[in-house]
Amino acid sequence: MLDQRAERKRVAVLISGRGSNMVALIDAAKAADYPAAIVLVLSNNPDAAGLTYAREAGIATVTVDHRPFKENRVAFEQALNAQLQAHRVDLVCLAGFMRLLMPDFVQRWSGRMLNIHPALLPQFKGLHTHRRALEAGVREHGATVHFVVPEMDSGPIVLQASVPVRDNDTEQSLAQRVLEVEHRIYPQALRMVAEGRTKFDPGAAR
Ligand code: GRF
């Protein structure tokens, strides 16, 4: 019988901070039938809390600090890419990774890189999505997993889930409600992509 694990897609999770979505992915990948294995957690921030969790979970961790690279984003991304190659990564999951990636890097991982965004794209691209959702008075908010394309928060959508916005919500209460669905949909979306059930269509709605 074939070793199921050997056929799993090898996934790197890129983080900058807390890493709760990374934890959700690591937990999901513990299931015997999960089609992906988290083989690397990569951070641009040496103090990212998620690194400690990943290390304790026995996953390889690497920090590529962006600061010594200063304005040389190409060199920073070459260093990231070298790590991804060294760990024979098939798929990349951005999970609270707070660096914008340049078109060359995005192109190289086209169709093989996912991001999670805490809003119902195409609404509220960029930062402070919960505050902006409250200010806009929307009744529905949520989270989106999408393929990464050069334009920020704009690639084809793999999965979305919505949550209600309540009258007494604060930025924090809304963020917490959205985070719960993030932790549910990111592992589901990665499963769909790793199984080849969802393929990258560059022409899909932005
Ligand atoms: C999440 O809200 C994610 O959607 C956004 O950044 C946050 C990261 O949180 N891109 P965590 O580090 O996964 O806890």
Side-chain angles (χ1 to χ4, degrees):
M1 193 178 134
L2 280 175
D3 177 5
Q4 278 193 339
R5 281 184 176 266
E7 294 175 6
R8 293 181 175 202
K9 296 287 186 215
R10 296 173 62 82
V11 174
V13 184
L14 270 56
I15 64 169
S16 297
R18 178 177 57 180
S20 69
N21 278 288
M22 173 210 74
V23 171
L25 293 170
I26 290 172
D27 281 351
K30 288 179 184 157
D33 70 341
Y34 199 75
I38 313 302
V39 298
L40 175 66
V41 171
L42 191 45
S43 176
N44 66 302
N45 169 15
D47 301 322
L51 286 172
T52 310
Y53 182 96
R55 252 180 240 121
E56 285 169 2
I59 294 168
T61 60
V62 174
T63 299
V64 181
D65 192 337
H66 62 281
R67 289 168 298 189
F69 292 94
K70 303 223 166 75
E71 299 307 307
N72 194 346
R73 287 165 62 188
V74 171
F76 168 66
E77 292 177 6
Q78 279 169 351
L80 286 184
N81 202 55
Q83 290 297 334
L84 298 175
Q85 304 290 354
H87 289 82
R88 294 180 291 114
V89 164
D90 301 308
L91 297 171
V92 174
C93 288
L94 306 181
F97 185 67
M98 302 305 283
R99 308 300 302 167
L100 286 178
L101 295 166
M102 309 239 300
D104 268 3
F105 183 89
V106 172
Q107 224 43 64
R108 185 186 289 261
W109 290 93
S110 176
R112 299 183 294 147
M113 181 156 61
L114 300 175
N115 180 45
I116 186 151
H117 183 72
L120 291 174
L121 290 175
Q123 277 190 315
F124 307 122
K125 297 179 182 182
L127 297 174
H128 310 302
T129 57
H130 309 307
R131 187 190 312 164
R132 287 158 59 213
L134 289 174
E135 283 167 2
V138 293
R139 305 316 293 160
E140 223 183 26
H141 187 41
T144 305
V145 179
H146 64 95
F147 283 108
V148 177
V149 298
E151 197 189 330
M152 187 185 67
D153 299 331
S154 296
I157 290 168
V158 178
L159 209 53
Q160 275 185 323
S162 60
V163 300
V165 179
R166 302 200 197 286
D167 289 338
N168 57 356
D169 263 333
T170 61
E171 215 177 316
Q172 287 71 27
S173 64
L174 185 55
Q176 182 54 40
R177 194 172 309 120
V178 171
L179 198 59
E180 284 167 23
V181 302
E182 292 187 40
H183 297 164
R184 183 161 51 77
I185 66 171
Y186 211 172
Q188 283 177 7
L190 176 59
R191 175 186 278 280
M192 288 161 64
V193 172
E195 286 176 348
R197 281 192 283 140
T198 298
K199 289 222 168 63
F200 179 68
D201 172 4
R206 301 273 144 106

